[in-house]
Amino acid sequence: MAKKGYPLGIDVGGSGIKGAPVDLKKGEFTKSRLKIATPQPATPEAVAQVVDEIVDEFEKETGGSPIGVTVPAVVIRGTVLSAANIAPSWINTDAEALIKEHTGRSVTVLNDADAAGIAELHYGAAKGEHGLVILTTLGTGIGSALIHDGRLIPNSELGHLEIDGYDAEDRAASSVKDNEGLSWDEWIERLQRYYETIEALFSPDLIVVGGGVSRDSDKFLPKLRLRAPIVPAELRNKAGIIGAAHRAVDLAS
Ligand code: BGC
C-alpha cells in the first residue's frame, strides 16, 4: 500500500494527542480518530513516542504516506522556536527530524492554528475566500493563522499581541474566561478589544473563530462590533488533524 495510503494528521495538544487518516478529496477522516493522553511532562521525546504509536495504529490505512503533526508553537523548517504552552525543552528541537527518526515517515510539523486555518480554507468556513482571512483559535492560548488569497503566511502568533499592556491571550483566551470565572459579557468586552485591534492592524476580509468555545459561538460572536464578518470555524476539533494532513501532502509533492 506504500504511497497509496491516506495521509495521517496528528494534533498534539496539552491534554491529548489525536490522529486520524484523512481523505483529502472530502476533507474527512477515513477512520475514527485515536486519542492518547499527552504524556507528562510532554517532552519532545515522550511526545514523539506517542506519535509513533498513532502511526503504528493506522499503518494499514496510511501505508508509507506522509504525516503532518501540529504543535502549539512557532515552527520554522521543522524546528520549534517557542513554547508558550508546551514544555520549554521543545525550543530549538528539530521536531521533524525527531519524529522522522521514530516513525521512518516523511514528516511535516506545523503550528496548530496554521493547520486549523488550512483546514477551514479548504473544507470549512473560509472555503474559496479571497483576500485576507484571519483564523483565531480560542483555547488554552490564542492561536492564529493568516491566509492571503489561499496562501498561508505561517507563524503569525497574533495571540501574543500586546494590548493595553497585556499579552492578548492572557486576557482573552477561553481558558481565562474559565479560570477567572468571567461572565459571557465580561469576556465579550475583552474579545471586542482583541478583535478590534486585529481589525485595526490587518483589515481582514473575514475572521474565523475556532477552538472548543466556538461551539457556543451564538453566545458571543453576534455581540462583537466589527467591520469584517466574524464566523465560527466549521471543522471543530477535526481542523488540526485535517489541516496537518493537507499540509504534509502539499509539502511532500
Ligand atoms: C502559542 C501558539 C499556538 C496557540 C494555540 C499560543 O500560546 O504561542 O503557537 O498556536 O497558543 O495553541
Side-chain angles (χ1 to χ4, degrees):
M1 197 168 190
K3 292 223 157 126
K4 288 206 176 124
Y6 292 106
L8 181 64
I10 298 181
D11 196 9
V12 176
S15 58
I17 300 180
K18 296 145 274 181
V22 178
D23 179 341
L24 294 180
K25 284 208 185 97
K26 300 184 183 151
E28 284 169 10
F29 297 171
T30 67
K31 273 199 109 180
S32 341
R33 65 168 202 178
L34 173 65
K35 176 174 177 179
I36 298 180
T38 307
Q40 296 303 338
T43 59
E45 187 59 35
V47 168
Q49 279 177 26
V50 173
V51 166
D52 191 33
E53 269 180 58
I54 297 177
V55 171
D56 283 349
E57 174 74 20
F58 293 113
E59 182 65 40
K60 238 172 61 201
E61 292 75 25
T62 64
S65 52
I67 66 177
V69 181
T70 76
V71 289
V74 170
V75 186
I76 294 186
R77 284 181 284 282
T79 296
V80 174
L81 292 186
S82 72
N85 291 313
I86 53 170
S89 56
W90 280 90
I91 292 183
N92 292 327
T93 296
D94 185 340
E96 278 181 9
L98 177 71
I99 296 171
K100 192 168 181 198
E101 222 170 83
H102 278 263
T103 61
R105 296 290 191 87
S106 152
V107 180
T108 300
V109 176
L110 72 164
N111 173 264
D112 55 358
D114 282 345
I118 290 168
E120 293 294 333
L121 175 75
H122 290 280
Y123 310 106
K127 192 166 173 191
E129 276 288 324
H130 292 283
L132 181 64
V133 177
I134 299 186
L135 169 128
T136 55
T137 58
L138 303 174
T140 309
I142 296 182
S144 64
L146 276 190
I147 295 167
H148 186 250
D149 283 349
R151 278 182 76 114
L152 175 74
I153 299 154
N155 295 310
S156 50
E157 292 293 324
L158 301 185
H160 297 295
L161 279 178
E162 188 181 316
I163 302 175
D164 303 330
Y166 294 95
D167 191 11
E169 73 174 20
D170 292 345
R171 295 279 293 166
S174 67
S175 62
V176 176
K177 174 182 186 297
D178 298 340
N179 296 341
E180 293 185 19
L182 301 177
S183 67
W184 284 103
D185 281 344
E186 286 166 329
W187 188 52
I188 287 166
E189 254 175 63
R190 295 185 182 192
L191 290 177
Q192 175 65 33
R193 190 77 191 102
Y194 179 61
Y195 286 110
E196 72 193 17
T197 304
I198 296 269
E199 190 152 67
L201 293 176
F202 296 97
S203 304
D205 295 285
L206 175 69
I207 302 173
V208 180
V209 179
V213 74
S214 64
R215 232 178 282 124
D216 290 320
S217 65
D218 55 321
K219 297 204 173 86
F220 62 98
L221 289 189
K223 296 200 177 155
L224 294 173
R225 298 171 309 280
L226 299 163
R227 183 195 51 80
I230 184 162
V231 299
E234 286 172 11
L235 298 170
R236 310 275 176 212
N237 56 7
K238 293 183 172 175
I241 292 176
I242 293 175
H246 193 283
R247 190 70 169 170
V249 169
D250 235 18
L251 296 185
S253 55

